[in-house]
Amino acid sequence: MPTILLVEDELTLAETLRYNLEREGYIVLLATDGVQGLELARREAPDLIVLDIMLPRLDGLSVCRILRQEHDMPVIMLTARQDEVDRIAGLELGADDYISKPFSLGEFLARVRAIMRRSERQPRLAAREVLEASRLKIDTSRRRAWCEGEELNLSQKEFDLITCLVRNRGIALSRDLLLERVWGLDFIGDSRTVDVHIRWLREKIEPDSSRPRYIQTVRGIGYRFEAPGEDS
Ligand code: CA
């Protein structure tokens, strides 16, 4: 049975959500602060995390950021703040969806079902993950990638970069986020590094690298992978 981890410090809301999710047949784990949420996520590897942003001890955006470096489980963020910045931050950190409080129970359950269906369709297995997007196929466990069936000769960083972009397809990723994900927090350099690797990647996967269709530039932000013909 699918397990959902709910990280929410407002107990009335948490209990209401838990009751209704259990009625839908999910097993629900509840954490009431960010540290406990992170611990439960690591230990129980739930199928979905519903994560509030304003949390005691460790906020939801930090929990999401840490988890994303370790796991690929879907995350829905909840927030009371009607702040577009939060929304963008949450999605950049890899959240799959975002719901502003107050929300209706019906809307919440519909979003949960949608995410669960999506993750069933694209199983996120750490052991053997094959990502497919349009003309690209990436086998993350074997670290091999193909474009139109032809194996690509990618450097380690190019491989990590395209994997990160494809995993978050449709989402604009900032240069800083890409630097952090691919090069690590202790990397000394600047976002030009990202641009240079993007250029090399485009030369390898775009039919016309001067007019990229797959790795798109998001002005003032960074890059976004688009797979034409896919609805995700
Ligand atoms: Ca809260």
Side-chain angles (χ1 to χ4, degrees):
M1 212 177 294
T3 303
I4 296 178
L5 170 62
L6 185 58
V7 190
E8 170 60 78
D9 59 320
E10 286 166 55
L11 285 178
T12 315
L13 176 62
E15 286 304 335
T16 307
L17 297 181
R18 166 144 77 177
Y19 172 78
N20 284 279
L21 287 169
E22 283 175 352
R23 276 184 43 175
E24 299 253 316
Y26 300 113
I27 295 170
V28 180
L29 308 167
L30 179 62
T32 53
D33 67 62
V35 173
Q36 192 191 13
L38 195 55
E39 281 167 7
L40 271 176
R42 284 173 171 154
R43 200 171 69 222
E44 305 292 334
D47 299 285
L48 169 68
I49 302 175
V50 177
L51 187 58
D52 188 27
I53 289 186
M54 301 292 277
L55 287 168
R57 293 173 80 196
L58 186 64
D59 70 272
L61 290 174
S62 304
V63 173
C64 187
R65 178 200 298 273
I66 295 166
L67 274 178
R68 269 291 166 262
Q69 291 168 358
E70 304 169 3
H71 295 280
D72 219 5
M73 51 187 78
V75 174
I76 298 180
M77 311 258 351
L78 301 180
T79 186
R81 291 189 284 179
Q82 301 284 335
D83 193 341
E84 185 70 10
V85 174
D86 273 356
R87 189 182 131 77
I88 292 168
L91 293 176
E92 273 203 356
L93 290 173
D96 294 78
D97 203 352
Y98 182 96
I99 307 181
S100 300
K101 294 176 188 173
F103 51 83
S104 75
L105 198 52
E107 181 195 1
F108 172 76
L109 293 172
R111 302 271 193 104
V112 168
R113 282 186 217 113
I115 295 252
M116 290 306 235
R117 272 200 305 273
R118 208 191 301 165
S119 55
E120 269 166 35
R121 216 167 58 220
Q122 310 171 331
R124 302 175 180 222
L125 299 175
R128 183 77 203 280
E129 184 189 32
V130 178
L131 300 166
E132 286 188 69
S134 248
R135 61 207 324 247
L136 278 189
K137 185 170 154 188
I138 303 173
D139 185 333
T140 60
S141 48
R142 290 193 292 162
R143 295 189 67 84
R144 295 174 70 184
W146 296 263
C147 182
E148 302 271 79
E150 278 209 26
E151 184 153 14
L152 293 166
N153 183 12
L154 300 178
S155 71
Q156 191 189 326
K157 293 303 179 199
E158 286 169 350
F159 185 90
D160 291 341
L161 187 56
I162 190 66
T163 301
C164 183
L165 286 164
V166 170
R167 241 186 216 143
N168 296 288
R169 70 186 79 168
I171 297 175
L173 302 173
S174 71
R175 289 177 174 83
D176 285 345
L177 184 92
L178 289 167
L179 266 182
E180 185 187 318
R181 293 268 188 97
V182 175
W183 280 267
L185 281 171
D186 49 0
F187 174 75
I188 300 170
D190 64 33
S191 54
R192 286 274 190 75
T193 309
V194 177
D195 299 335
V196 169
H197 282 78
I198 291 282
R199 196 168 74 230
W200 291 338
L201 270 177
R202 280 174 171 159
E203 280 164 10
K204 292 178 181 179
I205 70 168
E206 297 281 356
D208 176 357
S209 63
S210 62
R211 285 189 301 155
R213 290 174 59 197
Y214 299 95
I215 304 176
Q216 300 195 349
T217 302
V218 183
R219 214 173 288 267
I221 308 239
Y223 299 96
R224 180 180 67 227
F225 188 88
E226 288 289 349
E230 286 184 14
D231 60 2
S232 54

